[in-house]
Short mmCIF file of all heavy atoms in Angstrom, two decimals:
data_model
loop_
_atom_site.label_atom_id
_atom_site.label_comp_id
_atom_site.label_asym_id
_atom_site.label_seq_id
_atom_site.Cartn_x
_atom_site.Cartn_y
_atom_site.Cartn_z
N MET A 1 23.59 37.06 10.38
CA MET A 1 22.58 37.21 9.34
C MET A 1 21.66 35.99 9.35
O MET A 1 22.09 34.86 9.44
CB MET A 1 23.27 37.29 7.97
CG MET A 1 22.28 37.55 6.87
SD MET A 1 23.08 37.85 5.31
CE MET A 1 21.65 37.83 4.27
N THR A 2 20.38 36.28 9.26
CA THR A 2 19.41 35.20 9.27
C THR A 2 19.09 34.76 7.85
O THR A 2 19.22 35.52 6.91
CB THR A 2 18.11 35.63 9.98
OG1 THR A 2 17.67 36.86 9.39
CG2 THR A 2 18.32 35.81 11.44
N LYS A 3 18.67 33.52 7.75
CA LYS A 3 18.42 32.98 6.42
C LYS A 3 16.94 32.83 6.11
O LYS A 3 16.58 32.46 5.01
CB LYS A 3 19.09 31.61 6.30
CG LYS A 3 20.59 31.68 6.18
CD LYS A 3 21.14 30.40 5.62
CE LYS A 3 21.39 29.40 6.69
NZ LYS A 3 22.06 28.19 6.19
N GLY A 4 16.09 33.10 7.08
CA GLY A 4 14.66 32.84 6.89
C GLY A 4 13.92 33.94 6.17
O GLY A 4 14.47 34.65 5.34
N THR A 5 12.67 34.08 6.51
CA THR A 5 11.78 35.02 5.85
C THR A 5 12.26 36.48 5.93
O THR A 5 12.12 37.20 4.95
CB THR A 5 10.36 34.88 6.44
OG1 THR A 5 10.02 33.51 6.51
CG2 THR A 5 9.33 35.58 5.58
N PRO A 6 12.83 36.96 7.02
CA PRO A 6 13.24 38.36 7.07
C PRO A 6 14.27 38.73 6.00
O PRO A 6 14.23 39.85 5.48
CB PRO A 6 13.85 38.51 8.47
CG PRO A 6 13.22 37.46 9.26
CD PRO A 6 13.01 36.33 8.35
N SER A 7 15.15 37.82 5.67
CA SER A 7 16.18 38.14 4.68
C SER A 7 15.64 38.12 3.25
O SER A 7 16.31 38.57 2.32
CB SER A 7 17.34 37.17 4.79
OG SER A 7 16.89 35.85 4.58
N MET A 8 14.45 37.62 3.05
CA MET A 8 13.86 37.59 1.71
C MET A 8 13.46 38.99 1.26
O MET A 8 13.27 39.23 0.07
CB MET A 8 12.63 36.67 1.69
CG MET A 8 12.94 35.21 1.89
SD MET A 8 14.04 34.58 0.63
CE MET A 8 14.58 33.07 1.41
N GLY A 9 13.35 39.91 2.19
CA GLY A 9 13.00 41.28 1.84
C GLY A 9 14.12 41.99 1.09
O GLY A 9 13.92 43.02 0.47
N LYS A 10 15.33 41.43 1.14
CA LYS A 10 16.47 42.04 0.44
C LYS A 10 16.52 41.64 -1.02
O LYS A 10 17.30 42.20 -1.78
CB LYS A 10 17.77 41.60 1.13
CG LYS A 10 17.95 42.19 2.50
CD LYS A 10 19.23 41.72 3.12
CE LYS A 10 19.40 42.31 4.51
NZ LYS A 10 20.62 41.79 5.15
N LYS A 11 15.72 40.65 -1.36
CA LYS A 11 15.77 40.13 -2.73
C LYS A 11 14.93 41.00 -3.66
O LYS A 11 13.91 40.57 -4.20
CB LYS A 11 15.26 38.69 -2.76
CG LYS A 11 16.12 37.77 -1.94
CD LYS A 11 15.85 36.34 -2.32
CE LYS A 11 16.90 35.42 -1.72
NZ LYS A 11 16.96 34.14 -2.41
N ASN A 12 15.37 42.20 -3.87
CA ASN A 12 14.61 43.10 -4.75
C ASN A 12 15.47 43.70 -5.84
O ASN A 12 15.08 44.65 -6.50
CB ASN A 12 13.91 44.20 -3.92
CG ASN A 12 14.89 44.93 -3.02
OD1 ASN A 12 16.10 44.68 -3.05
ND2 ASN A 12 14.41 45.84 -2.21
N LYS A 13 16.66 43.14 -6.01
CA LYS A 13 17.51 43.61 -7.10
C LYS A 13 17.28 42.76 -8.33
O LYS A 13 17.21 41.53 -8.23
CB LYS A 13 18.98 43.51 -6.70
CG LYS A 13 19.50 44.79 -6.07
CD LYS A 13 20.99 44.72 -5.89
CE LYS A 13 21.36 43.87 -4.68
NZ LYS A 13 22.80 43.88 -4.42
N LYS A 14 17.18 43.38 -9.47
CA LYS A 14 16.98 42.61 -10.69
C LYS A 14 18.33 42.42 -11.36
O LYS A 14 18.84 43.30 -12.07
CB LYS A 14 16.01 43.34 -11.62
CG LYS A 14 15.26 42.38 -12.50
CD LYS A 14 14.04 43.02 -13.13
CE LYS A 14 13.21 41.93 -13.79
NZ LYS A 14 12.07 42.49 -14.49
N VAL A 15 18.93 41.28 -11.09
CA VAL A 15 20.26 41.01 -11.64
C VAL A 15 20.14 40.48 -13.06
O VAL A 15 20.79 40.98 -13.98
CB VAL A 15 21.01 40.00 -10.74
CG1 VAL A 15 22.37 39.67 -11.32
CG2 VAL A 15 21.16 40.55 -9.33
N HIS A 16 19.28 39.50 -13.24
CA HIS A 16 19.13 38.89 -14.55
C HIS A 16 17.81 39.33 -15.19
O HIS A 16 16.76 39.26 -14.58
CB HIS A 16 19.13 37.36 -14.43
CG HIS A 16 20.45 36.82 -13.96
ND1 HIS A 16 20.63 36.30 -12.70
CD2 HIS A 16 21.65 36.75 -14.57
CE1 HIS A 16 21.90 35.92 -12.58
NE2 HIS A 16 22.54 36.19 -13.69
N ILE A 17 17.93 39.78 -16.43
CA ILE A 17 16.75 40.17 -17.18
C ILE A 17 16.52 39.15 -18.30
O ILE A 17 17.34 38.25 -18.50
CB ILE A 17 16.89 41.61 -17.75
CG1 ILE A 17 18.15 41.72 -18.60
CG2 ILE A 17 16.88 42.61 -16.63
CD1 ILE A 17 18.22 42.98 -19.40
N LEU A 18 15.44 39.32 -19.04
CA LEU A 18 15.10 38.36 -20.09
C LEU A 18 16.18 38.36 -21.18
O LEU A 18 16.57 39.43 -21.67
CB LEU A 18 13.75 38.72 -20.71
CG LEU A 18 12.50 38.24 -19.98
CD1 LEU A 18 11.28 38.66 -20.76
CD2 LEU A 18 12.50 36.75 -19.78
N CYS A 19 16.62 37.18 -21.53
CA CYS A 19 17.63 37.04 -22.56
C CYS A 19 16.98 37.17 -23.93
O CYS A 19 15.91 36.63 -24.16
CB CYS A 19 18.33 35.71 -22.43
SG CYS A 19 19.53 35.38 -23.71
N ARG A 20 17.68 37.87 -24.82
CA ARG A 20 17.16 38.08 -26.16
C ARG A 20 17.25 36.81 -26.99
O ARG A 20 16.53 36.62 -27.95
CB ARG A 20 17.97 39.19 -26.86
CG ARG A 20 17.13 40.30 -27.42
CD ARG A 20 18.01 41.31 -28.11
NE ARG A 20 19.12 41.74 -27.25
CZ ARG A 20 20.24 42.27 -27.72
NH1 ARG A 20 20.38 42.44 -29.03
NH2 ARG A 20 21.19 42.65 -26.92
N ARG A 21 18.18 35.94 -26.65
CA ARG A 21 18.41 34.75 -27.47
C ARG A 21 17.63 33.54 -26.95
O ARG A 21 16.95 32.87 -27.71
CB ARG A 21 19.89 34.44 -27.55
CG ARG A 21 20.21 33.35 -28.53
CD ARG A 21 21.63 33.38 -28.98
NE ARG A 21 22.52 32.93 -27.92
CZ ARG A 21 23.84 32.80 -28.10
NH1 ARG A 21 24.37 33.10 -29.26
NH2 ARG A 21 24.60 32.40 -27.13
N CYS A 22 17.76 33.22 -25.64
CA CYS A 22 17.12 32.00 -25.15
C CYS A 22 15.78 32.28 -24.46
O CYS A 22 15.03 31.36 -24.21
CB CYS A 22 18.05 31.24 -24.22
SG CYS A 22 18.42 32.07 -22.68
N GLY A 23 15.49 33.54 -24.16
CA GLY A 23 14.18 33.87 -23.62
C GLY A 23 14.05 33.67 -22.12
O GLY A 23 12.99 33.91 -21.57
N ASN A 24 15.10 33.21 -21.48
CA ASN A 24 15.06 33.02 -20.03
C ASN A 24 15.53 34.28 -19.33
O ASN A 24 16.28 35.09 -19.91
CB ASN A 24 15.95 31.85 -19.63
CG ASN A 24 15.35 30.52 -20.01
OD1 ASN A 24 14.44 30.04 -19.34
ND2 ASN A 24 15.82 29.95 -21.10
N ALA A 25 15.14 34.42 -18.10
CA ALA A 25 15.57 35.58 -17.30
C ALA A 25 16.95 35.30 -16.72
O ALA A 25 17.16 35.29 -15.52
CB ALA A 25 14.57 35.87 -16.20
N THR A 26 17.90 35.06 -17.62
CA THR A 26 19.25 34.69 -17.19
C THR A 26 20.31 35.61 -17.79
O THR A 26 21.49 35.32 -17.71
CB THR A 26 19.56 33.23 -17.62
OG1 THR A 26 19.11 33.04 -18.96
CG2 THR A 26 18.88 32.25 -16.71
N TYR A 27 19.87 36.71 -18.38
CA TYR A 27 20.81 37.66 -18.97
C TYR A 27 21.20 38.68 -17.91
O TYR A 27 20.35 39.40 -17.38
CB TYR A 27 20.16 38.34 -20.18
CG TYR A 27 21.09 39.23 -20.96
CD1 TYR A 27 22.07 38.68 -21.78
CD2 TYR A 27 20.97 40.60 -20.90
CE1 TYR A 27 22.92 39.50 -22.50
CE2 TYR A 27 21.82 41.43 -21.61
CZ TYR A 27 22.78 40.86 -22.42
OH TYR A 27 23.62 41.68 -23.12
N HIS A 28 22.49 38.74 -17.59
CA HIS A 28 22.97 39.64 -16.55
C HIS A 28 22.94 41.08 -17.08
O HIS A 28 23.58 41.39 -18.08
CB HIS A 28 24.39 39.25 -16.15
CG HIS A 28 24.73 39.71 -14.76
ND1 HIS A 28 24.96 41.03 -14.46
CD2 HIS A 28 24.87 39.03 -13.61
CE1 HIS A 28 25.24 41.11 -13.17
NE2 HIS A 28 25.20 39.92 -12.63
N ALA A 29 22.20 41.92 -16.38
CA ALA A 29 21.96 43.28 -16.87
C ALA A 29 23.23 44.12 -16.89
O ALA A 29 23.41 44.96 -17.76
CB ALA A 29 20.88 43.94 -16.03
N THR A 30 24.11 43.92 -15.92
CA THR A 30 25.33 44.75 -15.88
C THR A 30 26.51 44.06 -16.55
O THR A 30 27.33 44.74 -17.17
CB THR A 30 25.68 45.08 -14.42
OG1 THR A 30 25.58 43.91 -13.63
CG2 THR A 30 24.77 46.14 -13.88
N HIS A 31 26.59 42.75 -16.46
CA HIS A 31 27.71 42.05 -17.11
C HIS A 31 27.48 41.84 -18.59
O HIS A 31 28.39 41.46 -19.32
CB HIS A 31 27.93 40.69 -16.43
CG HIS A 31 28.42 40.81 -15.01
ND1 HIS A 31 28.55 39.71 -14.18
CD2 HIS A 31 28.79 41.87 -14.29
CE1 HIS A 31 28.99 40.11 -13.01
NE2 HIS A 31 29.13 41.43 -13.04
N LYS A 32 26.25 42.03 -19.02
CA LYS A 32 25.85 41.90 -20.43
C LYS A 32 26.15 40.50 -20.98
O LYS A 32 26.71 40.38 -22.06
CB LYS A 32 26.52 42.99 -21.30
CG LYS A 32 26.24 44.40 -20.88
CD LYS A 32 24.81 44.82 -21.20
CE LYS A 32 24.56 46.24 -20.74
NZ LYS A 32 23.20 46.50 -20.32
N GLU A 33 25.83 39.49 -20.21
CA GLU A 33 25.97 38.15 -20.73
C GLU A 33 24.96 37.21 -20.08
O GLU A 33 24.59 37.41 -18.93
CB GLU A 33 27.39 37.62 -20.56
CG GLU A 33 27.81 37.46 -19.12
CD GLU A 33 29.21 36.85 -19.01
OE1 GLU A 33 30.13 37.44 -19.60
OE2 GLU A 33 29.34 35.83 -18.36
N CYS A 34 24.53 36.23 -20.87
CA CYS A 34 23.53 35.29 -20.37
C CYS A 34 24.24 34.11 -19.74
O CYS A 34 25.17 33.55 -20.31
CB CYS A 34 22.64 34.84 -21.52
SG CYS A 34 21.44 33.61 -21.03
N VAL A 35 23.79 33.70 -18.55
CA VAL A 35 24.43 32.58 -17.87
C VAL A 35 23.93 31.24 -18.41
O VAL A 35 24.54 30.21 -18.17
CB VAL A 35 24.21 32.62 -16.34
CG1 VAL A 35 25.05 33.70 -15.72
CG2 VAL A 35 22.77 32.79 -15.99
N LYS A 36 22.81 31.26 -19.13
CA LYS A 36 22.29 30.01 -19.63
C LYS A 36 22.84 29.68 -21.02
O LYS A 36 23.32 28.57 -21.24
CB LYS A 36 20.76 30.07 -19.68
CG LYS A 36 20.15 28.74 -20.03
CD LYS A 36 18.69 28.68 -19.69
CE LYS A 36 18.17 27.27 -19.78
NZ LYS A 36 17.83 26.88 -21.14
N CYS A 37 22.77 30.64 -21.94
CA CYS A 37 23.18 30.33 -23.30
C CYS A 37 24.48 31.00 -23.69
O CYS A 37 25.04 30.74 -24.74
CB CYS A 37 22.07 30.71 -24.29
SG CYS A 37 21.78 32.47 -24.44
N GLY A 38 25.00 31.88 -22.84
CA GLY A 38 26.28 32.53 -23.14
C GLY A 38 26.15 33.70 -24.09
O GLY A 38 27.13 34.13 -24.67
N PHE A 39 24.95 34.22 -24.25
CA PHE A 39 24.73 35.36 -25.14
C PHE A 39 25.45 36.60 -24.60
O PHE A 39 25.36 36.91 -23.42
CB PHE A 39 23.22 35.63 -25.26
CG PHE A 39 22.87 36.79 -26.14
CD1 PHE A 39 23.17 36.74 -27.49
CD2 PHE A 39 22.24 37.90 -25.62
CE1 PHE A 39 22.84 37.81 -28.31
CE2 PHE A 39 21.92 38.98 -26.44
CZ PHE A 39 22.21 38.93 -27.79
N GLY A 40 26.17 37.28 -25.47
CA GLY A 40 26.97 38.42 -25.06
C GLY A 40 28.41 38.04 -24.80
O GLY A 40 29.29 38.88 -24.77
N LYS A 41 28.63 36.75 -24.62
CA LYS A 41 29.97 36.25 -24.33
C LYS A 41 30.51 35.51 -25.55
O LYS A 41 31.64 35.73 -25.98
CB LYS A 41 29.89 35.32 -23.12
CG LYS A 41 31.20 35.04 -22.45
CD LYS A 41 30.91 34.13 -21.27
CE LYS A 41 32.19 33.68 -20.60
NZ LYS A 41 31.88 32.68 -19.58
N SER A 42 29.67 34.61 -26.09
CA SER A 42 30.10 33.87 -27.26
C SER A 42 28.95 33.83 -28.26
O SER A 42 27.78 33.97 -27.90
CB SER A 42 30.49 32.44 -26.89
OG SER A 42 29.37 31.74 -26.43
N SER A 43 29.29 33.61 -29.54
CA SER A 43 28.26 33.56 -30.55
C SER A 43 27.58 32.20 -30.61
O SER A 43 26.51 32.06 -31.16
CB SER A 43 28.86 33.91 -31.92
OG SER A 43 29.96 33.06 -32.17
N LYS A 44 28.26 31.21 -30.01
CA LYS A 44 27.66 29.87 -29.98
C LYS A 44 26.88 29.67 -28.69
O LYS A 44 27.14 30.33 -27.69
CB LYS A 44 28.75 28.81 -30.09
CG LYS A 44 29.39 28.77 -31.44
CD LYS A 44 30.58 27.82 -31.40
CE LYS A 44 31.42 27.99 -32.66
NZ LYS A 44 32.72 27.33 -32.52
N LEU A 45 25.96 28.72 -28.75
CA LEU A 45 25.19 28.41 -27.55
C LEU A 45 26.10 27.75 -26.51
O LEU A 45 26.91 26.89 -26.83
CB LEU A 45 24.03 27.46 -27.88
CG LEU A 45 22.76 28.09 -28.45
CD1 LEU A 45 21.79 27.00 -28.86
CD2 LEU A 45 22.11 29.00 -27.45
N LYS A 46 25.92 28.18 -25.28
CA LYS A 46 26.74 27.64 -24.20
C LYS A 46 26.30 26.23 -23.87
O LYS A 46 25.11 25.94 -23.79
CB LYS A 46 26.55 28.55 -22.98
CG LYS A 46 27.40 28.18 -21.79
CD LYS A 46 26.98 29.09 -20.63
CE LYS A 46 27.59 28.62 -19.35
NZ LYS A 46 27.06 29.39 -18.21
N LYS A 47 27.29 25.37 -23.69
CA LYS A 47 26.98 23.98 -23.32
C LYS A 47 27.38 23.76 -21.89
O LYS A 47 28.43 24.22 -21.45
CB LYS A 47 27.74 23.02 -24.23
CG LYS A 47 27.04 22.78 -25.54
CD LYS A 47 27.79 21.76 -26.35
CE LYS A 47 27.23 21.72 -27.77
NZ LYS A 47 28.11 20.93 -28.63
N GLN A 48 26.56 23.05 -21.19
CA GLN A 48 26.87 22.74 -19.80
C GLN A 48 27.13 21.26 -19.67
O GLN A 48 26.24 20.44 -19.90
CB GLN A 48 25.72 23.18 -18.89
CG GLN A 48 25.64 24.69 -18.81
CD GLN A 48 24.45 25.16 -18.03
OE1 GLN A 48 23.43 24.53 -17.99
NE2 GLN A 48 24.61 26.30 -17.38
N GLY A 49 28.34 20.93 -19.31
CA GLY A 49 28.76 19.53 -19.27
C GLY A 49 28.04 18.69 -18.26
O GLY A 49 27.86 17.51 -18.45
N PHE A 50 27.61 19.33 -17.17
CA PHE A 50 26.98 18.54 -16.11
C PHE A 50 25.57 18.11 -16.47
O PHE A 50 24.98 17.28 -15.79
CB PHE A 50 26.99 19.33 -14.80
CG PHE A 50 26.30 20.66 -14.87
CD1 PHE A 50 24.93 20.74 -14.69
CD2 PHE A 50 27.01 21.82 -15.09
CE1 PHE A 50 24.30 21.95 -14.75
CE2 PHE A 50 26.38 23.04 -15.13
CZ PHE A 50 25.02 23.10 -14.96
N GLN A 51 25.05 18.69 -17.55
CA GLN A 51 23.69 18.33 -17.93
C GLN A 51 23.64 16.97 -18.62
O GLN A 51 22.66 16.27 -18.52
CB GLN A 51 23.09 19.38 -18.86
CG GLN A 51 22.60 20.60 -18.11
CD GLN A 51 21.92 21.58 -19.02
OE1 GLN A 51 22.19 21.60 -20.21
NE2 GLN A 51 21.07 22.41 -18.46
N ASN A 52 24.71 16.61 -19.34
CA ASN A 52 24.69 15.34 -20.06
C ASN A 52 25.64 14.33 -19.44
O ASN A 52 26.29 13.59 -20.13
CB ASN A 52 25.00 15.52 -21.55
CG ASN A 52 25.35 16.93 -21.90
OD1 ASN A 52 24.60 17.83 -21.60
ND2 ASN A 52 26.48 17.15 -22.50
N LYS A 53 25.72 14.35 -18.15
CA LYS A 53 26.59 13.37 -17.51
C LYS A 53 25.84 12.03 -17.40
O LYS A 53 24.61 11.99 -17.36
CB LYS A 53 27.04 13.83 -16.14
CG LYS A 53 25.94 13.87 -15.10
CD LYS A 53 26.52 14.21 -13.76
CE LYS A 53 25.42 14.30 -12.73
NZ LYS A 53 25.92 14.73 -11.43
N THR A 54 26.60 10.97 -17.35
CA THR A 54 26.00 9.65 -17.28
C THR A 54 25.53 9.37 -15.86
O THR A 54 26.14 9.79 -14.89
CB THR A 54 26.99 8.57 -17.73
OG1 THR A 54 28.19 8.74 -16.98
CG2 THR A 54 27.28 8.68 -19.19
N LEU A 55 24.46 8.65 -15.77
CA LEU A 55 23.90 8.33 -14.48
C LEU A 55 24.30 6.93 -14.02
O LEU A 55 23.59 6.26 -13.31
CB LEU A 55 22.37 8.44 -14.53
CG LEU A 55 21.82 9.86 -14.80
CD1 LEU A 55 20.34 9.79 -15.12
CD2 LEU A 55 22.06 10.76 -13.61
N SER A 56 25.45 6.48 -14.49
CA SER A 56 25.88 5.13 -14.15
C SER A 56 26.55 5.07 -12.79
O SER A 56 26.93 3.99 -12.33
CB SER A 56 26.85 4.62 -15.21
OG SER A 56 27.96 5.50 -15.30
N GLY A 57 26.71 6.21 -12.15
CA GLY A 57 27.34 6.21 -10.85
C GLY A 57 28.85 6.26 -10.92
O GLY A 57 29.54 5.93 -9.98
N ALA A 58 29.36 6.67 -12.07
CA ALA A 58 30.81 6.77 -12.24
C ALA A 58 31.34 7.94 -11.43
O ALA A 58 30.82 9.05 -11.51
CB ALA A 58 31.14 6.95 -13.72
N ARG A 59 32.37 7.71 -10.69
CA ARG A 59 32.93 8.74 -9.83
C ARG A 59 34.07 9.46 -10.51
O ARG A 59 34.81 8.89 -11.30
CB ARG A 59 33.46 8.10 -8.55
CG ARG A 59 32.35 7.87 -7.55
CD ARG A 59 32.93 7.94 -6.19
NE ARG A 59 31.90 7.75 -5.16
CZ ARG A 59 32.20 7.54 -3.89
NH1 ARG A 59 33.45 7.48 -3.51
NH2 ARG A 59 31.25 7.42 -3.00
N ARG A 60 34.18 10.76 -10.16
CA ARG A 60 35.30 11.55 -10.68
C ARG A 60 36.54 11.30 -9.81
O ARG A 60 36.41 11.10 -8.60
CB ARG A 60 34.95 13.03 -10.65
CG ARG A 60 35.07 13.66 -12.03
CD ARG A 60 34.94 15.15 -11.89
NE ARG A 60 33.54 15.55 -11.83
CZ ARG A 60 33.15 16.80 -11.56
NH1 ARG A 60 34.05 17.73 -11.35
NH2 ARG A 60 31.89 17.11 -11.53
N LYS A 61 37.69 11.29 -10.46
CA LYS A 61 38.90 11.04 -9.68
C LYS A 61 39.36 12.28 -8.96
O LYS A 61 39.28 13.35 -9.47
CB LYS A 61 40.02 10.57 -10.64
CG LYS A 61 39.80 9.12 -11.05
CD LYS A 61 40.73 8.76 -12.19
CE LYS A 61 40.27 7.50 -12.85
NZ LYS A 61 40.98 7.26 -14.11
ZN1 ZN B 1 20.35 33.35 -22.98
#
């Protein structure tokens, strides 16, 4: 399988549609949940831990 321009023609499936809560196109149409805010999965907004990590260069064990 090639990774260049020819394979881009396969990208015609609409997996994520506009989310009703956060407004991003991150709501999975078949799974019925938003990957960004967690809408459909939880009533609270989804938090992503990697977004607020410190930039001090601390390494994970
Ligand atoms: Zn959302």
